[in-house]
Structures are given as C-alpha cells and as structure tokens.
Amino acid sequence: MTFSSCLTDKDTELVLDSSVLINLLATGHSTSILKALAVPVVVTDSVIREIELGAANGRPELELLKKMIGDQVLNVRELEGHALATFFELVSGSASESLGDGEAATLSFAHVNGCSAAIDEKKATRLATNLFESMRLITTIDILAHDTVRTSLGEAILANATFQALRLARMQVREHQFDWVARLIGSENVEACSSLGRFARRTRPENLSG
C-alpha cells in the first residue's frame, strides 16, 4: 500500500499536541526532525504543563524539551482571547465530547491562528473534524514520513527513530499508515510494538485468507 504524508506546503505553521511531542522526543532525533520540516513549530503552555507533569512521574522528556525551546526549535505560546474561550468550550461537557487540556489548547490555538494541528488521539481528531472543518490535521507519522525528514535522517536512522517512538512512547498508527511503518521498521520489530498489535495480528499468516 502506498502511503504519503499529508503534511504539505499548505501547512505554514504547526502546533503540536502532547502525545505528538512525546513521540518525537522518544525518537532521539526530535530536533533534527523538526528542523527538517522547515515550518514554524509551536506548542501551547498547556502542553508544556502536561510534559512537566509526566516528568514529575519519572518520564525523561522535560530536559529534552527545555533544550529544544532554548534552541528555538520550538516556540511556546499562551492562549488568549477567542482561543482561550474556545479552549474552555472544548474542556467542558460530557466525557465523550470534551478533551484534556493539552488537546483542547492545541486545537484552540490552531483554530484561531490558522495553524495545522499535529494530534494523534482519535477522539480529538473526531471532534476537530466535526467542529473545525477547515483545520488541517497531521499525525506524528505524517511528520516522520515527510520527504524532507526522510531525506534529512536517512532510511536507517528514520527506521530506528520510528521504532523508538513506537516502543517507548507507544506512538499511535492509523490503519492506512501501518504498511509503511511495518516496512520501515521491519516485520521482526512489529511484534515488539504494543500500539501495532491490532494491525500485526491481521497480517499474521494464520489470519490471512486464501
């Protein structure tokens, strides 16, 4: 199956959700990856707070994140005005129709500022599709599969980076992205990635018909 990143020159600024940022930090090549995109990349202060909370629970991402911010690979933005009002709307309501702070802040900022949102969670993607029809939505895999990232890292480093994001951060992969991921990291590594389990079972010989 052919897979192409949906990240294009239409994406003039990218705002990252917590899970996407954690995935990229887990690759071990987050700075090189974001520099290769050649578009401004921002995160909201709500996402920073989520990473800080994770660090308090023993996750190692915070120091890497601080360095990327200090090197201006990432720019931190606060919500204001209409974006802040949209944020409060997104975190309110029933569990099925509301989001966590990081996701809500990411989508609010992207909506008000005309950015593309990099977000992996299915519920957030569903709500964004329903509420913000013109918003461009990008996944971590779209970032990793972008031509400039592939060229910058090279096939071997990109394969290991993707494997580390899958193994350490349990990066989510959509069904139409699985074949590209499996070819990249090698079938021998697919079983080691818990987030690929559903797709991996589908491709086992005993589950193939004919």
Side-chain angles (χ1 to χ4, degrees):
M1 178 183 293
T2 300
F3 167 71
S4 297
S5 170
C6 65
L7 185 60
T8 72
D9 56 6
K10 295 180 180 178
D11 302 290
T12 56
E13 189 170 25
L14 199 57
V15 54
L16 306 183
D17 181 41
S18 305
S19 59
V20 173
L21 184 53
I22 290 170
N23 291 339
L24 293 176
L25 291 168
T27 66
H29 298 276
S30 51
T31 296
S32 298
I33 290 168
L34 293 184
K35 283 185 175 179
L37 292 178
V39 297
V41 181
V42 304
V43 292
T44 66
D45 54 344
S46 293
V47 163
I48 298 298
R49 283 194 291 274
E50 287 191 345
I51 302 290
E52 288 174 340
L53 179 61
N57 293 327
R59 297 182 69 100
E61 293 89 357
L62 185 58
E63 291 307 313
L64 292 171
L65 178 59
K66 287 180 177 178
K67 186 173 190 320
M68 292 174 70
I69 294 170
D71 292 341
Q72 297 185 322
V73 177
L74 275 174
N75 298 299
V76 182
R77 297 286 185 267
E78 295 183 3
L79 300 183
E80 299 176 336
H82 185 46
L84 196 57
T86 303
F87 168 81
F88 285 121
E89 291 175 3
L90 290 175
V91 297
S92 303
S94 65
S96 63
E97 299 299 322
S98 62
L99 299 172
D101 286 1
E103 296 163 341
T106 298
L107 295 179
S108 300
F109 186 90
H111 171 59
V112 172
N113 293 281
C115 304
S116 301
I119 199 159
D120 283 353
E121 277 67 28
K122 290 182 179 178
K123 183 171 74 170
T125 300
R126 173 178 60 81
L127 291 177
T129 301
N130 292 339
L131 296 172
F132 312 119
E133 292 183 0
S134 62
M135 185 185 296
R136 290 179 56 77
L137 299 173
I138 307 298
T139 68
T140 308
I141 292 296
D142 289 310
I143 293 173
L144 296 174
H146 191 263
D147 286 345
T148 58
V149 174
R150 298 168 71 169
T151 300
S152 176
L153 266 62
E155 191 80 1
I157 292 176
L158 179 61
N160 185 61
T162 302
F163 180 55
Q164 296 308 319
L166 288 161
R167 190 176 66 85
L168 300 176
R170 300 180 182 177
M171 177 173 63
Q172 297 299 304
V173 172
R174 307 284 167 82
E175 184 171 8
H176 70 283
Q177 299 169 333
F178 172 74
D179 289 349
W180 181 82
V181 171
R183 282 197 300 270
L184 178 66
I185 68 172
S187 57
E188 68 278 12
N189 289 322
V190 168
E191 294 284 352
C193 303
S194 59
S195 62
L196 297 180
R198 178 165 60 97
F199 304 128
R201 287 191 292 274
R202 185 195 66 187
T203 60
R204 287 171 186 160
E206 63 270 27
N207 293 329
L208 296 175
S209 60

mmCIF file of all heavy atoms in Angstrom, residues 92-131:
data_model
loop_
_atom_site.group_PDB
_atom_site.id
_atom_site.type_symbol
_atom_site.label_atom_id
_atom_site.label_comp_id
_atom_site.label_asym_id
_atom_site.label_seq_id
_atom_site.Cartn_x
_atom_site.Cartn_y
_atom_site.Cartn_z
ATOM 1 N N SER A 92 -15.129 21.443 28.413
ATOM 2 C CA SER A 92 -16.389 21.316 29.144
ATOM 3 C C SER A 92 -17.273 20.252 28.489
ATOM 4 O O SER A 92 -17.045 19.865 27.347
ATOM 5 C CB SER A 92 -17.135 22.665 29.152
ATOM 6 O OG SER A 92 -16.324 23.679 29.706
ATOM 7 N N GLY A 93 -18.275 19.818 29.210
ATOM 8 C CA GLY A 93 -19.228 18.860 28.642
ATOM 9 C C GLY A 93 -18.955 17.435 29.062
ATOM 10 O O GLY A 93 -18.136 17.163 29.946
ATOM 11 N N SER A 94 -19.657 16.517 28.419
ATOM 12 C CA SER A 94 -19.542 15.101 28.772
ATOM 13 C C SER A 94 -18.170 14.565 28.391
ATOM 14 O O SER A 94 -17.450 15.155 27.583
ATOM 15 C CB SER A 94 -20.625 14.299 28.042
ATOM 16 O OG SER A 94 -20.389 14.352 26.644
ATOM 17 N N ALA A 95 -17.816 13.421 28.960
ATOM 18 C CA ALA A 95 -16.503 12.836 28.707
ATOM 19 C C ALA A 95 -16.304 12.531 27.228
ATOM 20 O O ALA A 95 -15.197 12.664 26.701
ATOM 21 C CB ALA A 95 -16.336 11.561 29.533
ATOM 22 N N SER A 96 -17.379 12.126 26.544
ATOM 23 C CA SER A 96 -17.234 11.757 25.136
ATOM 24 C C SER A 96 -17.112 12.964 24.220
ATOM 25 O O SER A 96 -16.688 12.833 23.073
ATOM 26 C CB SER A 96 -18.437 10.897 24.696
ATOM 27 O OG SER A 96 -19.634 11.650 24.789
ATOM 28 N N GLU A 97 -17.481 14.132 24.732
ATOM 29 C CA GLU A 97 -17.477 15.330 23.883
ATOM 30 C C GLU A 97 -16.557 16.430 24.404
ATOM 31 O O GLU A 97 -16.676 17.580 23.987
ATOM 32 C CB GLU A 97 -18.902 15.870 23.751
ATOM 33 C CG GLU A 97 -19.867 14.901 23.104
ATOM 34 C CD GLU A 97 -19.465 14.517 21.675
ATOM 35 O OE1 GLU A 97 -18.973 15.394 20.947
ATOM 36 O OE2 GLU A 97 -19.624 13.331 21.318
ATOM 37 N N SER A 98 -15.667 16.078 25.318
ATOM 38 C CA SER A 98 -14.713 17.060 25.831
ATOM 39 C C SER A 98 -13.308 16.486 25.751
ATOM 40 O O SER A 98 -13.111 15.284 25.581
ATOM 41 C CB SER A 98 -15.066 17.452 27.273
ATOM 42 O OG SER A 98 -14.982 16.322 28.125
ATOM 43 N N LEU A 99 -12.318 17.375 25.874
ATOM 44 C CA LEU A 99 -10.921 16.980 25.701
ATOM 45 C C LEU A 99 -10.099 17.349 26.922
ATOM 46 O O LEU A 99 -10.495 18.188 27.734
ATOM 47 C CB LEU A 99 -10.330 17.672 24.468
ATOM 48 C CG LEU A 99 -10.992 17.355 23.127
ATOM 49 C CD1 LEU A 99 -10.421 18.258 22.033
ATOM 50 C CD2 LEU A 99 -10.799 15.883 22.775
ATOM 51 N N GLY A 100 -8.922 16.757 27.020
ATOM 52 C CA GLY A 100 -7.959 17.151 28.031
ATOM 53 C C GLY A 100 -7.361 18.505 27.687
ATOM 54 O O GLY A 100 -7.495 19.010 26.561
ATOM 55 N N ASP A 101 -6.666 19.094 28.662
ATOM 56 C CA ASP A 101 -6.170 20.452 28.490
ATOM 57 C C ASP A 101 -5.222 20.586 27.298
ATOM 58 O O ASP A 101 -5.322 21.549 26.524
ATOM 59 C CB ASP A 101 -5.439 20.903 29.765
ATOM 60 C CG ASP A 101 -6.408 21.224 30.886
ATOM 61 O OD1 ASP A 101 -7.626 21.070 30.682
ATOM 62 O OD2 ASP A 101 -5.931 21.623 31.964
ATOM 63 N N GLY A 102 -4.285 19.655 27.144
ATOM 64 C CA GLY A 102 -3.309 19.765 26.064
ATOM 65 C C GLY A 102 -3.949 19.684 24.692
ATOM 66 O O GLY A 102 -3.645 20.487 23.795
ATOM 67 N N GLU A 103 -4.842 18.723 24.525
ATOM 68 C CA GLU A 103 -5.525 18.579 23.236
ATOM 69 C C GLU A 103 -6.391 19.802 22.940
ATOM 70 O O GLU A 103 -6.398 20.323 21.816
ATOM 71 C CB GLU A 103 -6.395 17.322 23.256
ATOM 72 C CG GLU A 103 -5.610 16.033 23.394
ATOM 73 C CD GLU A 103 -6.493 14.875 23.817
ATOM 74 O OE1 GLU A 103 -7.598 15.137 24.332
ATOM 75 O OE2 GLU A 103 -6.065 13.724 23.640
ATOM 76 N N ALA A 104 -7.152 20.245 23.963
ATOM 77 C CA ALA A 104 -8.035 21.399 23.771
ATOM 78 C C ALA A 104 -7.229 22.650 23.439
ATOM 79 O O ALA A 104 -7.622 23.441 22.566
ATOM 80 C CB ALA A 104 -8.875 21.617 25.030
ATOM 81 N N ALA A 105 -6.116 22.852 24.116
ATOM 82 C CA ALA A 105 -5.284 24.028 23.851
ATOM 83 C C ALA A 105 -4.690 23.969 22.443
ATOM 84 O O ALA A 105 -4.631 24.982 21.731
ATOM 85 C CB ALA A 105 -4.181 24.125 24.897
ATOM 86 N N THR A 106 -4.258 22.798 22.034
ATOM 87 C CA THR A 106 -3.673 22.635 20.699
ATOM 88 C C THR A 106 -4.690 22.976 19.615
ATOM 89 O O THR A 106 -4.404 23.739 18.682
ATOM 90 C CB THR A 106 -3.179 21.188 20.513
ATOM 91 O OG1 THR A 106 -2.162 20.924 21.481
ATOM 92 C CG2 THR A 106 -2.629 20.967 19.111
ATOM 93 N N LEU A 107 -5.888 22.428 19.741
ATOM 94 C CA LEU A 107 -6.921 22.678 18.724
ATOM 95 C C LEU A 107 -7.414 24.121 18.763
ATOM 96 O O LEU A 107 -7.667 24.719 17.709
ATOM 97 C CB LEU A 107 -8.092 21.707 18.918
ATOM 98 C CG LEU A 107 -7.765 20.225 18.690
ATOM 99 C CD1 LEU A 107 -9.008 19.368 18.945
ATOM 100 C CD2 LEU A 107 -7.248 19.987 17.273
ATOM 101 N N SER A 108 -7.545 24.693 19.947
ATOM 102 C CA SER A 108 -7.992 26.089 20.058
ATOM 103 C C SER A 108 -6.996 27.027 19.404
ATOM 104 O O SER A 108 -7.368 27.935 18.644
ATOM 105 C CB SER A 108 -8.169 26.471 21.537
ATOM 106 O OG SER A 108 -9.121 25.655 22.154
ATOM 107 N N PHE A 109 -5.713 26.815 19.705
ATOM 108 C CA PHE A 109 -4.678 27.677 19.126
ATOM 109 C C PHE A 109 -4.645 27.536 17.607
ATOM 110 O O PHE A 109 -4.566 28.531 16.872
ATOM 111 C CB PHE A 109 -3.307 27.325 19.713
ATOM 112 C CG PHE A 109 -2.219 28.255 19.284
ATOM 113 C CD1 PHE A 109 -1.928 29.392 20.014
ATOM 114 C CD2 PHE A 109 -1.482 28.007 18.124
ATOM 115 C CE1 PHE A 109 -0.925 30.266 19.610
ATOM 116 C CE2 PHE A 109 -0.486 28.873 17.712
ATOM 117 C CZ PHE A 109 -0.210 30.007 18.457
ATOM 118 N N ALA A 110 -4.716 26.310 17.126
ATOM 119 C CA ALA A 110 -4.681 26.072 15.682
ATOM 120 C C ALA A 110 -5.892 26.709 14.999
ATOM 121 O O ALA A 110 -5.763 27.323 13.932
ATOM 122 C CB ALA A 110 -4.636 24.573 15.406
ATOM 123 N N HIS A 111 -7.046 26.565 15.606
ATOM 124 C CA HIS A 111 -8.280 27.104 15.020
ATOM 125 C C HIS A 111 -8.221 28.627 14.892
ATOM 126 O O HIS A 111 -8.517 29.188 13.826
ATOM 127 C CB HIS A 111 -9.465 26.697 15.896
ATOM 128 C CG HIS A 111 -10.754 27.354 15.530
ATOM 129 N ND1 HIS A 111 -11.335 27.224 14.282
ATOM 130 C CD2 HIS A 111 -11.581 28.169 16.250
ATOM 131 C CE1 HIS A 111 -12.456 27.918 14.240
ATOM 132 N NE2 HIS A 111 -12.624 28.499 15.419
ATOM 133 N N VAL A 112 -7.832 29.296 15.941
ATOM 134 C CA VAL A 112 -7.850 30.762 15.945
ATOM 135 C C VAL A 112 -6.709 31.344 15.120
ATOM 136 O O VAL A 112 -6.866 32.403 14.495
ATOM 137 C CB VAL A 112 -7.802 31.274 17.399
ATOM 138 C CG1 VAL A 112 -7.614 32.784 17.444
ATOM 139 C CG2 VAL A 112 -9.082 30.876 18.134
ATOM 140 N N ASN A 113 -5.582 30.665 15.081
ATOM 141 C CA ASN A 113 -4.412 31.217 14.392
ATOM 142 C C ASN A 113 -4.176 30.624 12.995
ATOM 143 O O ASN A 113 -3.183 30.959 12.347
ATOM 144 C CB ASN A 113 -3.170 30.989 15.253
ATOM 145 C CG ASN A 113 -3.212 31.804 16.532
ATOM 146 O OD1 ASN A 113 -2.931 32.999 16.530
ATOM 147 N ND2 ASN A 113 -3.598 31.153 17.630
ATOM 148 N N GLY A 114 -5.077 29.769 12.536
ATOM 149 C CA GLY A 114 -4.945 29.211 11.191
ATOM 150 C C GLY A 114 -3.787 28.259 11.028
ATOM 151 O O GLY A 114 -3.241 28.104 9.927
ATOM 152 N N CYS A 115 -3.400 27.595 12.108
ATOM 153 C CA CYS A 115 -2.291 26.622 12.054
ATOM 154 C C CYS A 115 -2.830 25.229 11.715
ATOM 155 O O CYS A 115 -4.016 24.948 11.851
ATOM 156 C CB CYS A 115 -1.594 26.531 13.409
ATOM 157 S SG CYS A 115 -0.972 28.069 14.065
ATOM 158 N N SER A 116 -1.929 24.362 11.323
ATOM 159 C CA SER A 116 -2.239 22.941 11.254
ATOM 160 C C SER A 116 -1.987 22.336 12.632
ATOM 161 O O SER A 116 -1.045 22.737 13.317
ATOM 162 C CB SER A 116 -1.354 22.253 10.220
ATOM 163 O OG SER A 116 -1.528 22.829 8.954
ATOM 164 N N ALA A 117 -2.825 21.382 13.023
ATOM 165 C CA ALA A 117 -2.686 20.753 14.338
ATOM 166 C C ALA A 117 -2.124 19.349 14.175
ATOM 167 O O ALA A 117 -2.646 18.557 13.394
ATOM 168 C CB ALA A 117 -4.041 20.704 15.040
ATOM 169 N N ALA A 118 -1.060 19.062 14.914
ATOM 170 C CA ALA A 118 -0.495 17.710 14.934
ATOM 171 C C ALA A 118 -1.038 17.003 16.163
ATOM 172 O O ALA A 118 -0.712 17.370 17.296
ATOM 173 C CB ALA A 118 1.028 17.766 14.970
ATOM 174 N N ILE A 119 -1.883 16.015 15.937
ATOM 175 C CA ILE A 119 -2.587 15.359 17.042
ATOM 176 C C ILE A 119 -2.891 13.927 16.631
ATOM 177 O O ILE A 119 -3.249 13.664 15.488
ATOM 178 C CB ILE A 119 -3.870 16.155 17.389
ATOM 179 C CG1 ILE A 119 -4.382 15.807 18.768
ATOM 180 C CG2 ILE A 119 -4.928 16.056 16.320
ATOM 181 C CD1 ILE A 119 -5.293 16.877 19.353
ATOM 182 N N ASP A 120 -2.704 12.982 17.554
ATOM 183 C CA ASP A 120 -2.866 11.567 17.221
ATOM 184 C C ASP A 120 -4.138 10.937 17.780
ATOM 185 O O ASP A 120 -4.618 9.944 17.235
ATOM 186 C CB ASP A 120 -1.663 10.764 17.751
ATOM 187 C CG ASP A 120 -0.421 10.935 16.896
ATOM 188 O OD1 ASP A 120 -0.515 11.561 15.817
ATOM 189 O OD2 ASP A 120 0.647 10.438 17.308
ATOM 190 N N GLU A 121 -4.665 11.458 18.881
ATOM 191 C CA GLU A 121 -5.781 10.802 19.554
ATOM 192 C C GLU A 121 -7.048 10.825 18.687
ATOM 193 O O GLU A 121 -7.383 11.840 18.082
ATOM 194 C CB GLU A 121 -6.076 11.484 20.892
ATOM 195 C CG GLU A 121 -5.211 11.026 22.036
ATOM 196 C CD GLU A 121 -3.768 11.423 21.861
ATOM 197 O OE1 GLU A 121 -3.535 12.451 21.196
ATOM 198 O OE2 GLU A 121 -2.880 10.712 22.365
ATOM 199 N N LYS A 122 -7.740 9.693 18.691
ATOM 200 C CA LYS A 122 -8.914 9.548 17.817
ATOM 201 C C LYS A 122 -10.052 10.484 18.213
ATOM 202 O O LYS A 122 -10.714 11.061 17.355
ATOM 203 C CB LYS A 122 -9.386 8.090 17.832
ATOM 204 C CG LYS A 122 -8.423 7.140 17.130
ATOM 205 C CD LYS A 122 -8.962 5.715 17.141
ATOM 206 C CE LYS A 122 -7.998 4.784 16.417
ATOM 207 N NZ LYS A 122 -8.481 3.380 16.454
ATOM 208 N N LYS A 123 -10.322 10.603 19.534
ATOM 209 C CA LYS A 123 -11.445 11.463 19.944
ATOM 210 C C LYS A 123 -11.169 12.910 19.577
ATOM 211 O O LYS A 123 -12.053 13.616 19.071
ATOM 212 C CB LYS A 123 -11.706 11.327 21.451
ATOM 213 C CG LYS A 123 -12.915 12.144 21.892
ATOM 214 C CD LYS A 123 -13.322 11.855 23.331
ATOM 215 C CE LYS A 123 -12.362 12.462 24.317
ATOM 216 N NZ LYS A 123 -12.846 12.399 25.699
ATOM 217 N N ALA A 124 -9.951 13.362 19.827
ATOM 218 C CA ALA A 124 -9.606 14.737 19.483
ATOM 219 C C ALA A 124 -9.698 14.955 17.978
ATOM 220 O O ALA A 124 -10.157 16.006 17.513
ATOM 221 C CB ALA A 124 -8.198 15.057 19.984
ATOM 222 N N THR A 125 -9.284 13.968 17.216
ATOM 223 C CA THR A 125 -9.375 14.073 15.758
ATOM 224 C C THR A 125 -10.835 14.145 15.318
ATOM 225 O O THR A 125 -11.201 14.949 14.447
ATOM 226 C CB THR A 125 -8.680 12.870 15.100
ATOM 227 O OG1 THR A 125 -7.301 12.869 15.491
ATOM 228 C CG2 THR A 125 -8.775 12.943 13.593
ATOM 229 N N ARG A 126 -11.675 13.318 15.927
ATOM 230 C CA ARG A 126 -13.105 13.316 15.575
ATOM 231 C C ARG A 126 -13.748 14.663 15.907
ATOM 232 O O ARG A 126 -14.466 15.242 15.065
ATOM 233 C CB ARG A 126 -13.826 12.188 16.337
ATOM 234 C CG ARG A 126 -15.336 12.208 16.174
ATOM 235 C CD ARG A 126 -16.008 11.050 16.911
ATOM 236 N NE ARG A 126 -15.772 11.025 18.337
ATOM 237 C CZ ARG A 126 -16.446 11.782 19.217
ATOM 238 N NH1 ARG A 126 -17.403 12.590 18.787
ATOM 239 N NH2 ARG A 126 -16.189 11.694 20.511
ATOM 240 N N LEU A 127 -13.486 15.161 17.097
ATOM 241 C CA LEU A 127 -14.088 16.435 17.478
ATOM 242 C C LEU A 127 -13.572 17.575 16.614
ATOM 243 O O LEU A 127 -14.328 18.463 16.213
ATOM 244 C CB LEU A 127 -13.797 16.719 18.956
ATOM 245 C CG LEU A 127 -14.514 15.809 19.959
ATOM 246 C CD1 LEU A 127 -14.103 16.133 21.384
ATOM 247 C CD2 LEU A 127 -16.026 15.946 19.827
ATOM 248 N N ALA A 128 -12.291 17.561 16.316
ATOM 249 C CA ALA A 128 -11.734 18.623 15.471
ATOM 250 C C ALA A 128 -12.344 18.582 14.076
ATOM 251 O O ALA A 128 -12.651 19.634 13.488
ATOM 252 C CB ALA A 128 -10.215 18.463 15.387
ATOM 253 N N THR A 129 -12.531 17.386 13.550
ATOM 254 C CA THR A 129 -13.136 17.245 12.219
ATOM 255 C C THR A 129 -14.554 17.785 12.209
ATOM 256 O O THR A 129 -14.988 18.437 11.248
ATOM 257 C CB THR A 129 -13.124 15.769 11.794
ATOM 258 O OG1 THR A 129 -11.774 15.300 11.787
ATOM 259 C CG2 THR A 129 -13.732 15.595 10.411
ATOM 260 N N ASN A 130 -15.291 17.528 13.298
ATOM 261 C CA ASN A 130 -16.679 17.985 13.371
ATOM 262 C C ASN A 130 -16.805 19.493 13.619
ATOM 263 O O ASN A 130 -17.696 20.146 13.071
ATOM 264 C CB ASN A 130 -17.409 17.237 14.489
ATOM 265 C CG ASN A 130 -17.599 15.769 14.172
ATOM 266 O OD1 ASN A 130 -17.545 15.365 13.003
ATOM 267 N ND2 ASN A 130 -17.783 14.952 15.191
ATOM 268 N N LEU A 131 -15.898 20.020 14.444
ATOM 269 C CA LEU A 131 -16.032 21.413 14.881
ATOM 270 C C LEU A 131 -15.282 22.404 13.999
ATOM 271 O O LEU A 131 -15.697 23.552 13.852
ATOM 272 C CB LEU A 131 -15.535 21.547 16.326
ATOM 273 C CG LEU A 131 -16.320 20.783 17.385
ATOM 274 C CD1 LEU A 131 -15.601 20.850 18.735
ATOM 275 C CD2 LEU A 131 -17.733 21.341 17.514
#
